Amino acid sequence: MLYTAEGMLQNFADIIENYGFIPNSGSVQLSRRTQPPLFVQMVKDYFTITKRKDSLKRWIPAMDIEMQFWFSRRRVLIDLPSKRTAQVFIYRVNIWQFSSSDSNEFSSLIHADFQPETNCPRPESFLSDFYLGMNNTDPMSSWKALATACESGWDFSSRWFDHEGIRKYKKVSIRGHTIVPVDLNVFMALNMDFLSESHALLANHSMSVFYRKMYDMLLSDINSLFWNADEGSWFDYDISKGKQRTDFYPSNVFPLLLRESKAYAADVHNYLERIDVYRYPGGVPSTFPVTSAEQWDFPNVWAPTQHLFIESLLRSQHSVLRQARMFWGACMRARAFDEANKFISTVFNGLFNPKEGMPAGVWEKYDARSPDGKPGGGGEYVVQEGFGWTNGVVMDLINLVSRNDLPWSTGAVWLTSLIIEDQIFAVPAVNRSQLICRLVHSPLILTNLRTNHT
């Protein structure tokens, strides 16, 4: 697999050196759309395993080229109430300049001076895009927004639609090019962090300092623009409305992937518990229920967002904490393993115990309401079988669960011995995370707590 991965990375590097980014597809008509900026993270994963500096040296020019594309073609400047200008990243635009005329709002649009890269329907969906655009007051804006959503990978989702008014959650209101996504900026921050370390390792000190400075700035901007202290979460920012969009998406918590975000973990835990995000047996859906039939909306569970959601919870607190006053860390960790087990079970059941009337298979998306592997639906095409990212994610989650030697799973019944101040209690638990979360909210003052499965 390492040989295969090396070949794939070299192919991507060659593409970046030719185009400046990784296009949405290998076909010519889609070559002006980028994929999300994940090449740097691919190299990081490869280097973490192999420790090969020669490969790092070979691919770092391509990583720099891709980052330059995002700096020059997908960055926006937003004036904050603090009088500081945030530099954040967005899909499908050149550099826009925004400023605030109201100190109570983050920003309002004063002008947008950019050259659109799309002014016509997508070639692969020309007729449907044409009709959608012609039913709008600004067809070109609609066509640009459709291509924008394709760059994000979330094509399509109510995440990019109006969230209020008569066009609420309707595709005709799509305008993803005016929404600053949380997850995109987390990807860019992770890239800057690794590139700073990589250039330092290769003795390119000026580039290392450059990326470290950019990382520190973006980290501050992520928390200034997206963090909502009242809700306890990060949210996408709506440029045209000058405010955050407070609907739930799994990507809301992706900033926990950044090591400096651990201080926010307690608030994020409370937010996730309050909105009951873990309620569905098939996994965490892309959105909560909305009046939309798009494939990146409820009830669909997608492997990439499930994977990153689980990783975000795990990175918020790696070790099981022993102090009861900080027990939220253990709770988030246990929740992550529960969600991993849910997704593993869902994929397993879809392949080996399919829902009656459904063929057996590994699917691109699943229905959050069902634990039996029922495939998801909606969108522009029928659900696809044998999807690569589902295979990759479920293998990684199996490795994660087995590596941590976890005997529990969602729905399992265990007798758990709790030793609390030298007193032993036998507690029936439906699963470990529910047990721990109940303890967190109990009036007991717990010290020196540990759990043993009996």
Side-chain angles (χ1 to χ4, degrees):
M1 287 301 291
L2 286 177
Y3 179 79
T4 301
E6 181 182 7
M8 293 174 67
L9 287 169
Q10 186 58 53
N11 286 343
F12 284 135
D14 292 341
I15 290 170
I16 290 171
E17 289 173 2
N18 186 47
Y19 286 95
F21 58 92
I22 297 178
N24 218 195
S25 168
S27 58
V28 173
Q29 65 266 30
L30 306 185
S31 62
R32 290 193 296 175
R33 298 181 210 154
T34 179
Q35 293 281 15
L38 296 173
F39 176 69
V40 175
Q41 295 305 299
M42 298 179 206
V43 175
K44 179 182 179 181
D45 286 345
Y46 179 86
F47 180 73
T48 299
I49 297 298
T50 66
K51 307 299 182 185
R52 289 183 54 183
K53 288 179 64 175
D54 60 322
S55 295
L56 193 63
K57 185 175 182 179
R58 179 177 15 140
W59 292 325
I60 207 163
M63 290 190 279
D64 286 337
I65 290 170
E66 185 183 40
M67 291 295 284
Q68 181 56 40
F69 167 83
W70 286 89
F71 284 138
S72 63
R73 304 294 293 277
R74 297 293 187 269
R75 182 168 55 171
V76 297
L77 309 179
I78 300 177
D79 288 345
L80 302 173
S82 63
K83 307 302 181 184
R84 189 174 59 82
T85 300
Q87 300 186 34
V88 288
F89 297 88
I90 194 170
Y91 290 108
R92 207 56 196 174
V93 297
N94 289 336
I95 297 178
W96 291 9
Q97 175 66 51
F98 300 96
S99 69
S100 178
S101 58
D102 183 350
S103 61
N104 294 322
E105 298 289 349
F106 278 110
S107 66
S108 58
L109 176 61
I110 57 170
H111 75 272
D113 183 14
F114 66 95
Q115 295 297 318
E117 297 173 10
T118 293
N119 60 2
C120 63
R122 293 171 298 151
E124 71 273 26
S125 299
F126 189 91
L127 192 59
S128 62
D129 285 10
F130 175 79
Y131 284 128
L132 185 142
M134 296 310 293
N135 284 322
N136 209 333
T137 56
D138 186 353
M140 288 188 182
S141 178
S142 296
W143 297 331
K144 180 179 177 63
L146 290 164
T148 296
C150 293
E151 285 201 341
S152 75
W154 289 53
D155 48 328
F156 293 101
S157 168
S158 60
R159 183 182 181 187
W160 314 123
F161 303 167
D162 280 352
H163 285 187
E164 53 193 43
I166 60 174
R167 304 196 307 173
K168 180 178 180 180
Y169 300 138
K170 294 182 179 179
K171 192 175 182 179
V172 71
S173 70
I174 188 169
R175 53 181 182 85
H177 55 300
T178 68
I179 296 165
V180 187
V182 171
D183 45 354
L184 170 58
N185 285 275
V186 171
F187 298 154
M188 289 297 292
L190 291 169
N191 292 347
M192 294 169 188
D193 187 39
F194 179 66
L195 279 166
S196 178
E197 295 175 354
S198 298
H199 277 291
L201 189 63
L202 298 174
N204 302 328
H205 298 299
S206 61
M207 289 299 292
S208 176
V209 170
F210 167 76
Y211 280 117
R212 181 56 54 198
K213 179 181 178 181
M214 297 303 295
Y215 174 80
D216 291 340
M217 290 172 55
L218 182 55
L219 180 66
S220 176
D221 292 338
I222 285 172
N223 292 324
S224 296
L225 196 64
F226 301 131
W227 176 251
N228 186 313
D230 293 333
E231 293 289 336
S233 181
W234 296 270
F235 296 104
D236 294 341
Y237 182 75
D238 188 332
I239 292 172
S240 64
K241 300 292 185 180
K243 63 181 182 180
Q244 296 169 342
R245 295 160 69 90
T246 55
D247 287 39
F248 168 77
Y249 308 106
S251 54
N252 290 357
V253 305
F254 289 2
L256 290 175
L257 295 168
L258 305 172
R259 58 180 174 272
E260 292 86 353
S261 296
K262 288 183 180 180
Y264 297 89
D267 290 330
V268 174
H269 163 67
N270 291 335
Y271 163 73
L272 295 175
E273 295 293 333
R274 186 175 69 252
I275 65 174
D276 197 15
V277 75
Y278 309 107
R279 77 186 83 160
Y280 298 105
V284 176
S286 296
T287 69
F288 278 175
V290 292
T291 54
S292 163
E294 302 301 331
Q295 65 172 350
W296 282 85
D297 283 332
F298 185 86
N300 291 337
V301 177
W302 290 84
T305 51
Q306 187 79 0
H307 192 218
L308 286 168
F309 181 85
I310 290 167
E311 284 290 335
S312 298
L313 299 190
L314 288 175
R315 291 198 200 181
S316 69
Q317 187 60 51
H318 286 286
S319 60
V320 177
L321 298 173
R322 296 179 181 176
Q323 297 297 322
R325 63 184 176 83
M326 297 183 66
F327 222 66
W328 51 264
C331 191
M332 288 186 74
R333 182 175 173 82
R335 285 295 198 186
F337 286 119
D338 266 353
E339 290 305 313
N341 275 312
K342 279 185 190 178
F343 194 70
I344 293 168
S345 297
T346 294
V347 175
F348 178 89
N349 288 333
L351 183 59
F352 296 105
N353 302 306
K355 185 176 177 64
E356 185 176 354
M358 291 298 301
V362 175
W363 304 100
E364 61 168 347
K365 54 183 178 279
Y366 292 89
D367 191 320
R369 300 166 297 185
S370 172
D372 56 12
K374 178 183 177 182
E380 297 181 308
Y381 54 84
V382 297
V383 63
Q384 300 293 298
E385 183 183 358
F387 232 62
W389 59 27
T390 304
N391 291 308
V393 166
V394 78
M395 286 192 293
D396 191 61
L397 293 181
I398 290 171
N399 182 53
L400 171 72
V401 172
S402 61
R403 189 173 67 242
N404 284 271
D405 191 26
L406 303 175
W408 55 83
S409 63
T410 302
V413 178
W414 291 88
L415 281 179
T416 303
S417 296
L418 298 179
I419 303 177
I420 305 175
E421 295 182 344
D422 298 325
Q423 298 184 56
I424 299 178
F425 300 86
V427 181
V430 291
N431 61 52
R432 184 174 181 266
S433 73
Q434 289 183 0
L435 170 65
I436 294 175
C437 289
R438 287 172 186 168
L439 289 174
V440 172
H441 299 293
S442 75
L444 294 176
I445 299 176
L446 308 179
T447 58
N448 192 27
L449 182 149
R450 70 178 184 270
T451 61
N452 295 305
H453 294 289
T454 59

